[in-house]
Amino acid sequence: MNKASLTELTAFELHGLLKNGDISADEVSAAFLSEIKNKQTATNAFITVCEGAADAVNGTLAGLPYAAKDNISTKGIRTTCASRILSDYVPVYDATVIENLRGSGARLLGKLNMDEFAMGSTSETSYFGAVRNPWDVGRSAGGSSGGAAAAVAAGMVPFALGSDTGGSIRQPSSFCGVTGIKPTYGAVSRYGLIAYGSSLDQIGPVARDARSCALALSAMAGEDLRDGTSEKCEITVPAEGVSIKGKRIALPKEAFADALSAGVRECVLGAVKTLEGLGAVVEWVRLPMLEYAVAAYYIIASAEAASNLSRYDGIRYGVSVLDKSLNLDEVIVRNRSEGFGREVKRRLMLGNFALSAGYYDAYYNKALRVKALLAQDFARVFADFDFIIMPTAPGAAPKLGESLDDPLAMYLSDAYTVPINLAGLPALSMPCGLMDGMPVGAQLIGKRFADSDILAAAAAYQDATDFHMKKPSAGATEVNV
Amino acid sequence: MEINRELTAHIAALSGIRLAEAELDQMTRDLRSVIGYMDTLEALDIASVAPMSHVQERVNYTREDAVRPSIPRGDVLVNAARKTDEYVVTPKTFG
């Protein structure tokens, strides 16, 4: 088998070949490292490449290469969060997911570019430059796990780890034409994930198809004593011929309102028709609190970020001024002012505003009440349905530079993904069509800890369609930029 | 909610961030736009709903109190900008 064809296979297919001894782990790693070299200039998907990091471990993922978003701690490998303040930070311990994947025999090929501290929807707020979409390098790969989605779409890795606080795995997966799942809150340990919004953050895999995501997630999920919010969780890889016959799927009216572009509506409703054709029962429902989710989310996520990011002082780690004439406060303020980018500062200030005396009840507490009502909305629908389906994003990938100057417009583009994090549910984005040549994703949402069920439903859909196997033209990533 | 330069400067100070004059104007505009949108929640009469801080129902979830090794001191110090063999060196706190 030649190198080019190896990088076109899904992680699930490669796993089968590796298990049977048809190909060697070194061959597979070499093929993907060569593809990383070829496509890094065009995509800027990686911040760090780990050449030759080969652990000869036998396990369920033995020999399968992957890369991890650069907010997931890797012992001895720089972990920057795409921020200047952590640009030289080298963790002294591994995140649990990294340990688990190493124990399964997976090989880490590098660390992926992202929005600074996972704050952004386009991967343009990175200190290391924007990620470019392999389908059109003039467009965003989405964010904040833009590097993860772009790397999988470009064939640089068969699967990647992202993190999702408000859509950061699903939205870039939609924009890059790949499959990505945000697991149930608590399904995957957050130990070693550099915190943004701790009540919302989850690590999850991005791959070409649902079976590959399930394979990766099965090696990552489960209880970890170092994260008190993690719970027992078994992931099943969807069987061949998996069926969704008789499954009840809800379509929320509010998610198909005017803000949705016609192209996305057409693609997602097309997916709904396919699922109906496979035997699913689809009905329209109401989710009235959906329209308040963005406001509540940006209050809660920013408030948690303001608290979490107060640890960055440049004293114990991180970039620091070494001027001995400055006192402690002056050093900390200077480190933070020079170390954080504009979007991070904006969210820290939004969070501190919402938590400050006089505004706490009107903003933070009110947002927590909206969260309670939103969770009730979802629970009401899930009493009668197995899944909810709606768009992942209101449009396809925007052009680079289009989104940064209007923060509110960028936040509003997260309207379909943030409600899921607030309710702690699992959700998956799967390719369901093209709009003006750019990929569009449909979002399948399940009950808490029904991660395997949504992966199975997505596998059934992907068995009947080929949107997930469409790839950007080779020329797109060979453009000199 | 009226967001002005004074409030923005106050929040920047709470956040441990210093903004240049031009940044202060831009940040005031950004906060005004985003907080203005957040004010859409004012329309909801939900004072009787209990705030939900977490989706999980766990309370005081603890692990067994077992002795285990912690990260070695030398490793902890490796990323500090200024240090001795044993301690992180901080800038002067007084004066």
Side-chain angles (χ1 to χ4, degrees):
Chain A
M1 193 167 288
N2 66 40
K3 279 185 181 181
S5 60
L6 277 184
T7 59
E8 285 173 13
L9 298 175
T10 68
F12 185 74
E13 290 166 336
L14 284 168
H15 170 66
L17 294 174
L18 282 161
K19 212 167 65 175
N20 291 340
D22 295 336
I23 46 173
S24 77
D26 287 343
E27 240 179 296
V28 177
S29 288
F32 281 99
L33 279 167
S34 150
E35 209 63 355
I36 291 170
K37 229 169 243 169
N38 289 342
K39 293 180 175 167
Q40 169 61 10
T41 308
T43 61
N44 200 26
F46 281 73
I47 290 176
T48 304
V49 177
C50 315
E51 288 197 50
D55 302 318
V57 178
N58 289 318
T60 52
L61 301 184
L64 207 55
Y66 78 104
K69 188 175 180 178
D70 212 19
N71 59 351
I72 299 173
S73 301
T74 42
K75 187 176 180 177
I77 300 169
R78 185 172 72 140
T79 299
T80 68
C81 252
S83 180
R84 180 177 183 272
I85 206 162
L86 289 181
S87 53
D88 61 2
Y89 170 66
V90 180
V92 295
Y93 62 94
D94 277 319
T96 296
V97 289
I98 299 291
E99 270 182 12
N100 288 351
L101 287 174
R102 183 184 301 117
S104 301
R107 290 182 174 191
L108 181 70
L109 296 192
K111 304 297 296 291
L112 297 161
N113 204 353
M114 55 184 277
D115 278 300
E116 184 184 6
F117 280 101
M119 297 178 191
S121 306
T122 60
S123 294
E124 290 173 283
T125 70
S126 169
Y127 176 64
F128 298 91
V131 180
R132 291 178 283 271
N133 194 315
W135 289 77
D136 175 351
V137 291
R139 288 180 187 270
S140 160
S144 65
S145 311
V152 172
M156 299 157 93
V157 279
F159 80 94
L161 301 189
S163 70
D164 190 315
T165 307
S168 285
I169 287 173
R170 292 160 285 158
Q171 184 254 37
S173 295
S174 173
F175 286 180
C176 292
V178 294
T179 306
I181 180 170
K182 181 204 89 73
T184 300
Y185 183 83
V188 176
S189 170
R190 292 176 296 109
Y191 179 76
L193 171 68
I194 296 178
Y196 163 16
S198 304
S199 77
L200 308 160
D201 297 338
Q202 272 291 282
I203 299 171
V206 175
R208 285 214 182 277
D209 64 341
R211 281 193 181 83
S212 300
C213 285
L215 185 68
L217 189 55
S218 68
M220 294 155 56
E223 191 173 32
D224 174 19
L225 294 177
R226 293 172 296 189
D227 173 6
T229 63
S230 66
E231 299 188 39
K232 288 190 175 68
C233 175
E234 292 276 326
I235 299 295
T236 313
V237 178
E240 209 175 312
V242 64
S243 165
I244 52 158
K245 202 163 189 257
K247 295 287 182 194
R248 291 178 54 74
I249 302 182
L251 266 177
K253 276 204 168 113
E254 291 80 359
F256 290 84
D258 296 344
L260 186 62
S261 68
V264 173
R265 181 195 310 269
E266 197 181 309
C267 291
V268 177
L269 290 179
V272 170
K273 204 157 240 161
T274 303
L275 292 166
E276 270 186 307
L278 294 170
V281 179
V282 181
E283 284 176 31
W284 288 95
V285 295
R286 301 304 301 258
L287 277 173
M289 293 307 290
L290 220 51
E291 67 173 298
Y292 298 103
V294 170
Y297 169 82
Y298 274 96
I299 292 170
I300 293 169
S302 301
E304 293 186 14
S307 173
N308 275 325
L309 272 66
S310 62
R311 74 189 63 173
Y312 298 104
D313 53 19
I315 305 293
R316 293 151 302 152
Y317 47 83
V319 170
S320 187
V321 291
L322 293 169
D323 183 344
K324 288 188 178 172
S325 70
L326 300 176
N327 70 28
L328 183 65
D329 279 347
E330 289 164 339
V331 168
I332 292 173
V333 169
R334 205 161 132 190
N335 287 342
R336 291 169 65 83
S337 304
E338 292 173 7
F340 293 139
R342 185 167 145 201
E343 181 59 30
V344 172
K345 288 177 186 169
R346 193 150 53 203
R347 294 198 196 189
L348 297 188
M349 290 183 61
L350 275 172
N352 279 318
F353 166 77
L355 292 174
S356 62
Y359 304 111
Y360 184 90
D361 270 332
Y363 290 91
Y364 184 64
N365 251 340
K366 189 142 199 177
L368 293 183
R369 293 180 212 277
V370 171
K371 176 177 170 169
L373 291 173
L374 187 68
Q376 284 171 25
D377 260 11
F378 279 113
R380 187 177 39 75
V381 170
F382 279 127
D384 200 26
F385 290 88
D386 299 292
F387 308 111
I388 296 172
I389 188 168
M390 59 188 197
T392 306
K399 291 201 166 121
L400 287 169
E402 234 175 37
S403 312
L404 284 180
D405 289 331
D406 187 349
L408 181 57
M410 182 166 75
Y411 299 171
L412 289 172
S413 73
D414 298 338
Y416 301 116
T417 47
V418 297
I420 317 310
N421 299 73
L422 288 172
L425 303 170
L428 170 148
S429 180
M430 57 186 189
C432 67
L434 296 174
M435 183 174 111
D436 302 327
M438 294 302 290
V440 170
Q443 186 180 201
L444 263 179
I445 304 152
K447 298 172 191 175
R448 274 182 62 71
F449 290 102
D451 304 57
S452 293
D453 296 340
I454 56 173
L455 286 160
Y461 174 78
Q462 291 179 337
D463 284 346
T465 56
D466 66 354
F467 297 116
H468 61 293
M469 294 313 289
K470 291 196 188 303
K471 297 181 175 98
S473 66
T477 44
E478 284 164 9
V479 177
N480 286 323
V481 287
Chain B
M1 176 67 224
E2 171 63 22
I3 309 290
N4 53 34
R5 276 172 63 96
E6 287 66 39
L7 182 59
T8 306
H10 169 64
I11 301 166
L14 289 178
S15 307
I17 291 166
R18 186 177 298 122
L19 297 175
E21 282 300 306
E23 281 183 298
L24 196 58
D25 285 332
Q26 182 60 49
M27 192 63 86
T28 303
R29 279 196 295 275
D30 290 351
L31 293 183
R32 197 175 285 148
S33 155
V34 176
I35 293 169
Y37 177 74
M38 288 168 173
D39 286 338
T40 53
L41 298 186
E42 277 178 17
L44 292 168
D45 180 14
I46 53 173
S48 61
V49 178
M52 183 195 219
S53 59
H54 227 278
V55 292
Q56 290 171 308
E57 286 163 10
R58 285 178 165 180
V59 177
N60 294 339
Y61 187 75
T62 55
R63 64 173 173 240
E64 198 187 336
D65 188 16
V67 177
R68 59 199 178 106
S70 55
I71 297 171
R73 188 197 296 246
D75 285 0
V76 172
L77 290 171
V78 83
N79 282 293
R82 292 172 59 207
K83 61 210 163 200
T84 66
D85 287 345
E86 291 182 288
Y87 300 107
V88 172
V89 175
T90 69
K92 57 187 174 183
T93 312
F94 302 106

